Amino acid sequence: MTARRRPVAMLVHSYYEEDPRVRRQAETLVRAGREVDVISLRRPGDPPRGTLEGVAITRLDVQRHQGSPIATYLAEYTAFLARATFVLARAHRRRRYGLVQVATPPDFLVAAALPLRLAGVPLLLDLHEATPEFFRSRFPAASNPVTIGGLTIVERLSIAVASRALSVTPERHERLLALGIPARKVDVIRNGPVLARFDVGAHARRPFMADGVLRLAYAGALTPLYALEDVIEAIAILARERPDLPVVLDLYGRGDREEELRDRADRLAVADRVRLHGRIPLDAVAGALAGADLVLSPIRRNRFSEMSLSTKVFEGAIMEKPVVAADLASARSEFDDDMLAWYAPDDPADLARAILRVVDRPAWRAETAARAAARARELAWDAEAPRYLALVEELTRDRLSS
C-alpha cells in the first residue's frame, strides 16, 4: 500500500486571508504536495469554510477587536481558544494530522493543540511576536513586573510544550537564547515576501515623480507602533519648507488610529495630501507600491521595535522603490547604510529630511534602490522556504500512514 503524507493543521488568531506569513507557509506546503488545513478567525460576511490557493480554511465565528481594552482582547482570545481546541481535536479524528503549527500571539494558544500533542502529534510554534515586549509597547500603562513576568512565563511554557519554535529575526532569536531557551529548540525563519507576489515586471513602472507629484506609500497596520502621526507631521514640514513640492501620502491599511490620523492631518492643514484607502488584499499591495515614488517604513523606537524588522522594507525594496526607514538595530542588521534612506525614529523633522534626500539626489536614489532590491531578494521568502520545508519534513518524517 502506498504511504500517504499526513496533512498539516495550522492554527492562527488572525484572518487567514490577511496574514502574509501564515499564507506563505501554507501555500509553500501545498506546492510541496502536502494538504494543509487552517483554523482562523472569521471576518463578517465570510463563509465558515473555504479554500484559497489549495489551502482549506475553517473560519471560527470570532472577530478581532483592534485597539480595544485588555479585557476585550482576553475575552476574544479565550473564545477563539475554546472553539479552536474543539474544532482541531474533532478534525484530527478524521484527518490524522502529521503536524500542528500554532502561530502566536497569544502564546497560550498552544493549549488548543495540547490534545494532539499528548497523542504524539509534533507541534511547531511560530512566534510572530515577542509577546512580552509587544505587550509593553502596546499597553505601557498596564506593563509592570507582574504582567511582563507572567507573559514571559507563558511564553517559556509554550515553547517548552512545542517540538520546535520559530522566530522571525535574529534579534528575537538571541532574546530567546538569553531567556535560557535551548538553541536546539528554536530556529529563525525570516519574514520576507514571496517574489512572485511582488513581481516588478507585472506592474507598469512609474518614473520618479512622473506626474510632478511626490507619491509616498505606506501599506500596513494603522496602529501607534508605526508612528504614522510622525509621517503626517513630516508632510506638514515639507508643505512649509518646500511649498513647490507637491506631496501625496497614500495609506493602505486599517487600525485603531485611523480617526486620529484624519484629525492630525486636518489640524496640520494637510488633509488634502493624506489619503486613507483602508485595507487592501495582499495581492494588491505590490500594485499599490508600484504606483508610488517612495515607500515608507516608519516605526517608533522601543524594546519591541529594536528586535523587529517590518516587512514594509522588504516589499518596497523588492518593488525597486527607494525606502525611507526608521534607523533601528534590526533593520541595520540586514540592510547597509547605502541601501535605505535612514531617519532617526520619533523625529518627524529628520523623516522630512530623509524624504528630501531621496527627492534631491537622483543618482544616489537610483543606486540605493538597486542595492536594497538585490538585498531584499536575498532575504525573500523564496530563500527561506526550503529551510521551512526541511523543518516540517524533519518533524513529520516518521508520521507517514499507509
Side-chain angles (χ1 to χ4, degrees), residues 240-277:
R240 292 194 304 270
E241 298 184 356
R242 291 283 290 269
D244 60 320
L245 179 65
V247 180
V248 170
L249 170 63
D250 289 303
L251 299 175
Y252 301 95
R254 66 163 178 258
D256 54 311
R257 283 301 174 95
E258 186 169 344
E259 288 307 314
E260 291 183 36
L261 296 175
R262 292 185 192 278
D263 292 343
R264 179 70 62 92
D266 284 335
R267 289 198 304 272
L268 295 174
V270 293
D272 59 329
R273 299 173 180 236
V274 178
R275 305 189 302 195
L276 287 89
H277 299 272

Side-chain angles (χ1 to χ4, degrees), residues 1 23 60 70 80 99 137 139 252 298 307 315 318 401:
M1 187 176 293
R23 281 189 59 178
L60 306 185
I70 295 174
F80 184 74
L99 174 72
S137 71
F139 300 104
Y252 301 95
M307 63 182 72
E315 293 168 355
I318 286 176
S401 62

Side-chain angles (χ1 to χ4, degrees), residues 218 224-228 230-231 296-302 304-306 308-310 312 324-328 330-331 343-347:
Y218 168 89
L225 178 65
Y226 292 109
L228 294 170
D230 289 354
V231 175
L296 299 171
S297 180
I299 194 168
R300 300 217 173 278
R301 184 190 296 278
N302 54 45
F304 174 74
S305 65
E306 287 285 4
S308 304
L309 178 54
S310 172
K312 301 162 193 61
V324 172
D327 192 350
L328 294 170
S330 53
Y343 79 94
D346 309 309
D347 188 342

Side-chain angles (χ1 to χ4, degrees), residues 356-377:
L356 289 178
R357 283 199 299 275
V358 174
V359 173
D360 295 336
R361 299 170 62 183
W364 175 82
R365 177 176 70 233
E367 292 170 2
T368 55
R371 294 190 187 101
R375 178 57 177 158
R377 290 189 181 100

Side-chain angles (χ1 to χ4, degrees), residues 3-6 34 96-99 119-122 390-402:
R4 181 179 69 88
R5 304 175 80 199
R6 289 190 176 183
R34 195 178 289 276
R96 310 306 298 170
Y97 293 115
L99 174 72
V121 179
L391 176 57
V392 170
E393 291 301 318
E394 175 189 339
L395 293 174
T396 59
R397 182 176 301 160
D398 296 325
R399 301 200 59 79
L400 298 175
S401 62
S402 299

Side-chain angles (χ1 to χ4, degrees), residues 25-101:
Q25 293 168 334
E27 291 169 11
T28 295
L29 292 175
V30 168
R31 284 194 295 270
R34 195 178 289 276
E35 295 178 15
V36 178
D37 297 345
V38 171
I39 299 172
S40 69
L41 300 178
R42 180 181 174 188
R43 296 178 300 190
D46 281 349
R49 296 183 182 276
T51 303
L52 181 62
E53 300 293 337
V55 178
I57 311 164
T58 297
R59 304 181 183 95
L60 306 185
D61 195 16
V62 180
Q63 287 78 46
R64 301 193 73 170
H65 299 83
Q66 203 165 28
S68 297
I70 295 174
T72 303
Y73 276 109
L74 286 175
E76 175 189 322
Y77 289 156
T78 302
F80 184 74
L81 171 62
R83 298 184 188 199
T85 303
F86 173 76
V87 170
L88 181 62
R90 185 177 62 179
H92 179 60
R93 294 176 61 185
R94 175 174 53 87
R95 299 284 279 156
R96 310 306 298 170
Y97 293 115
L99 174 72
V100 57
Q101 176 175 314

Side-chain angles (χ1 to χ4, degrees), residues 332-360:
R332 283 282 187 176
S333 69
E334 303 288 10
F335 292 88
D336 294 336
D337 289 354
D338 57 357
M339 292 180 180
L340 306 176
W342 303 96
Y343 79 94
D346 309 309
D347 188 342
D350 199 45
L351 173 55
R353 286 190 289 269
I355 292 171
L356 289 178
R357 283 199 299 275
V358 174
V359 173
D360 295 336

